[in-house]
Amino acid sequence: MSKCEISITFDRGNRVYIGGETVRGNVTVVVHEDTKCKGVSLTHCWRTHGRGNSDQGPSEVIALTEPQLLMAGEQLEFPFSVVAPKHPVTYRGHLTNVDHYIRVDVDVPWARDPWAEEEYVLLPGEPPAQFTGARDQLISLTDPPASMGWISKTVISVIAIVFVGLLAFFAMILLPFIAAIGVYLWVRTTALSSRLGTVEASMPHRLVAPQEQWPVSLRFTARKSFSINSITVELKGIESATSGSGSNRQTHTHTLISEKQILREGGLLTAGEVVDISTTLLFPSTRAYSFERPDNNIKWTAEIRIDIPRFPDWTKLEALQVVPIEFLGEQARLSDESVGAGKTTSHDIPVARSNSSDKDSVEFDSVQFDDEPFETAKASNGTGETKADQHHSMPIPASMVDLIRQLDSVNRNNNLRQEIINRVSGMPLDVSVIVDRVVTSIGAAMLAEEYSNGKTVTGEVEGTQQKIQVLTPENLNAELDSFRRGDVWATTVMITGWDTLYNRIQASAIA
């Protein structure tokens, strides 16, 4: 038995806090043996865990006691309060997880120190001080490195000099190859200029928040007639984790999303034709915020591409920084208003997101792209009746099968599907779910109390290919713990919404 038993409790049962709030709780130390103690300390920190090496943020260490003799049977109580950091927020991904911890250590000389550690969930709150309102620049949220002594600086300077020397040596050897690459790039640039002229492409919001309007523009004048396959913008999010060191160092990557939005279909461009595209894309909901550490990263990029058949493509790649909308405040609201008058509005670009904060099992589901724009769904069917009109003439679904048939009938248009869902919102429906995964719901969202400690079930409605996500109350936890992927779970649910990102029905189980 350990010399001491340590327990940590928080003032909130769900352990959910927002950035900048005070995290309060209590530490209890129960002494089992007489022990000389050099002190009891509390450490507040965040760190990563997962596939890669662990990265850790700055630690706040608080001394709870001075050195003293702890007597068997004694129980000590220590209230604590610490300020939650503003960044990074809790993240549960494929390769990397970010969690915040309260750790307590009893310092016992010449023996293994008893300790205990508990985590809490941090949601976005106050923005870090680095956010000044600018949207066209990336912001470094990495902690500044500790200052180095003169010995360390000298060693680094020597290494840098040697590296530059080696680089210059190899550059001389590789000079012909470097020259060949330079010639290729010059020819490519000249060839593209002969067709496209000067291309003005802009993604002014390098700093972007989920669910806000994201502007993109492109303008050029064709210098000669030629065909294009398409003009697209591709959004890509990559999660990476590096494990090991030296020759055993290995980087693992996982693509969160790689989806293209067509800005212009293919066709012939005539000499002198002006291509002027100005559009806004609704940035999707995601919790995979940009994160940059030595061994764990989440990086986002956007690439505009003019795809020219049998010819080099013109491309422009920009790094994006995805941050919680709370970090942008009024700037995010102003951006919504300012782009509202844009020339065109597109449907969503889907982005993978975390659906749960279960610490051991969070999966970024495969996403589906809405092939038909909203404008197409509004088009007349030849009788003067629009698809929206057809929807309103449909009967209210009496079963889950009827509901899915109606959803399928509107060609996967997000807006019309949401309207259909609204008509059955709160209606109890029987459903059999082919289970894909069951995870804990704690911290996944600000849930109603009866669901906050329950489970989240995702899967497909039996007999269909329709995805569904069901929140369940705590009293069903024992039953759901026995389910595995592929099992069929029969229950009664109330429809609560439509997830446009995953084309998925959202529901809550009726206990």
Side-chain angles (χ1 to χ4, degrees):
M1 177 182 292
S2 173
K3 295 176 182 293
C4 300
E5 181 180 337
I6 307 168
S7 60
I8 304 169
T9 57
F10 293 83
D11 64 339
R12 297 179 184 174
N14 60 4
R15 305 186 185 187
V16 177
Y17 300 85
I18 66 173
E21 280 192 325
T22 299
V23 180
R24 294 185 174 87
N26 194 70
V27 175
T28 302
V29 179
V30 178
V31 183
H32 297 302
E33 298 179 22
D34 293 351
T35 305
K36 288 183 178 181
C37 167
K38 295 174 64 177
V40 180
S41 62
L42 180 146
T43 302
H44 177 217
C45 67
W46 66 262
R47 66 174 180 268
T48 65
H49 59 93
R51 191 75 178 271
N53 301 326
S54 179
D55 288 313
Q56 182 167 325
S59 298
E60 176 186 5
V61 181
I62 301 171
L64 300 180
T65 69
E66 298 295 331
Q68 60 179 291
L69 177 64
L70 304 180
M71 306 299 293
E74 186 178 9
Q75 179 171 311
L76 300 94
E77 301 283 342
F78 306 102
F80 68 87
S81 64
V82 293
V83 177
K86 300 171 183 178
H87 178 270
V89 298
T90 297
Y91 173 71
R92 311 288 168 78
H94 278 274
L95 304 175
T96 297
N97 305 281
V98 180
D99 277 301
H100 293 258
Y101 298 92
I102 299 292
R103 176 185 172 115
V104 175
D105 292 87
V106 177
D107 189 353
V108 179
W110 307 106
R112 185 176 181 179
D113 294 343
W115 63 275
E117 183 177 77
E118 295 289 347
E119 66 184 60
Y120 66 90
V121 175
L122 183 68
L123 301 180
E126 296 180 15
Q130 296 94 322
F131 286 82
T132 60
R135 304 294 301 277
D136 59 345
Q137 300 179 27
L138 305 184
I139 295 176
S140 175
L141 293 173
T142 303
D143 305 314
S147 59
M148 297 181 293
W150 68 270
I151 297 178
S152 299
K153 292 180 180 179
T154 301
V155 171
I156 291 176
S157 298
V158 171
I159 293 174
I161 292 172
V162 172
F163 177 78
V164 171
L166 291 173
L167 188 64
F169 173 75
F170 284 109
M172 293 297 294
I173 297 176
L174 299 175
L175 187 59
F177 299 98
I178 296 173
I181 293 172
V183 170
Y184 166 76
L185 293 176
W186 178 81
V187 170
R188 181 180 183 277
T189 301
T190 302
L192 286 171
S193 179
S194 69
R195 293 194 176 193
L196 302 174
T198 301
V199 180
E200 300 174 2
S202 175
M203 291 175 276
H205 287 183
R206 303 280 300 283
L207 204 64
V208 60
Q211 294 185 303
E212 72 162 344
Q213 297 292 336
W214 179 54
V216 178
S217 64
L218 177 76
R219 180 184 173 86
F220 65 91
T221 302
R223 288 188 171 179
K224 60 175 66 174
S225 297
F226 64 97
S227 295
I228 62 171
N229 289 327
S230 63
I231 300 177
T232 61
V233 58
E234 181 179 19
L235 180 68
K236 184 175 289 187
I238 302 291
E239 180 181 320
S240 65
T242 301
S243 60
S245 60
S247 60
N248 293 324
R249 190 171 175 84
Q250 183 179 7
T251 298
H252 316 272
T253 61
H254 175 77
T255 301
L256 302 176
I257 187 66
S258 179
E259 293 289 344
K260 291 182 180 179
Q261 168 73 42
I262 296 177
L263 302 180
R264 175 167 174 153
E265 299 285 354
L268 178 66
L269 298 180
T270 58
E273 180 179 350
V274 177
V275 176
D276 190 359
I277 301 171
S278 181
T279 188
T280 58
L281 311 176
L282 180 63
F283 209 90
S285 175
T286 178
R287 292 184 183 180
Y289 304 120
S290 296
F291 183 70
E292 186 172 356
R293 302 296 296 183
D295 292 317
N296 298 272
N297 292 276
I298 301 171
K299 295 184 178 180
W300 292 87
T301 59
E303 182 185 66
I304 298 177
R305 178 179 295 270
I306 304 175
D307 186 350
I308 306 173
R310 300 180 301 279
F311 204 77
D313 293 343
W314 183 95
T315 61
K316 181 177 181 178
L317 181 69
E318 294 278 14
L320 301 181
Q321 188 170 9
V322 179
V323 300
I325 200 165
E326 290 84 353
F327 288 8
L328 301 180
E330 188 64 26
Q331 289 294 323
R333 289 189 287 273
L334 288 174
S335 71
D336 288 341
E337 296 166 4
S338 63
V339 299
K343 295 183 180 180
T344 58
T345 302
S346 70
H347 49 302
D348 300 2
I349 298 178
V351 173
R353 66 178 177 187
S354 172
N355 299 303
S356 160
S357 63
D358 178 74
K359 69 180 180 180
D360 295 319
S361 179
V362 173
E363 183 174 337
F364 285 76
D365 299 331
S366 59
V367 295
Q368 297 177 332
F369 188 72
D370 289 318
D371 299 306
E372 184 179 34
F374 183 56
E375 289 75 17
T376 305
K378 288 183 177 179
S380 171
N381 62 3
T383 63
E385 184 183 32
T386 66
K387 290 185 178 181
D389 295 331
Q390 296 173 32
H391 148 66
H392 286 297
S393 65
M394 295 178 181
I396 296 178
S399 66
M400 184 63 73
V401 173
D402 290 341
L403 173 60
I404 293 171
R405 286 174 180 166
Q406 289 194 14
L407 293 171
D408 289 341
S409 72
V410 296
N411 296 322
R412 295 166 60 181
N413 180 273
N414 289 344
N415 298 68
L416 296 183
R417 284 187 164 189
Q418 183 62 59
E419 291 182 26
I420 292 172
I421 289 292
N422 290 343
R423 299 174 69 203
V424 296
S425 180
M427 177 185 298
L429 295 173
D430 293 331
V431 64
S432 294
V433 179
I434 301 176
V435 175
D436 180 51
R437 50 196 291 270
V438 180
V439 297
T440 303
S441 298
I442 181 171
M446 303 305 268
L447 304 175
E449 183 177 354
E450 61 267 30
Y451 295 99
S452 60
N453 293 314
K455 302 283 187 180
T456 299
V457 181
T458 57
E460 289 186 353
V461 177
E462 188 178 30
T464 75
Q465 294 183 334
Q466 177 58 58
K467 294 183 179 181
I468 188 170
Q469 182 181 72
V470 183
L471 296 177
T472 68
E474 185 177 3
N475 60 8
L476 294 181
N477 285 358
E479 174 188 350
L480 292 171
D481 283 340
S482 65
F483 280 87
R484 298 293 180 265
R485 178 172 291 183
D487 291 348
V488 178
W489 175 49
T491 188
T492 301
V493 300
M494 286 199 303
I495 306 301
T496 59
W498 172 255
D499 188 331
T500 60
L501 183 60
Y502 298 114
N503 290 310
R504 181 169 60 194
I505 295 171
Q506 294 177 314
S508 298
I510 299 175

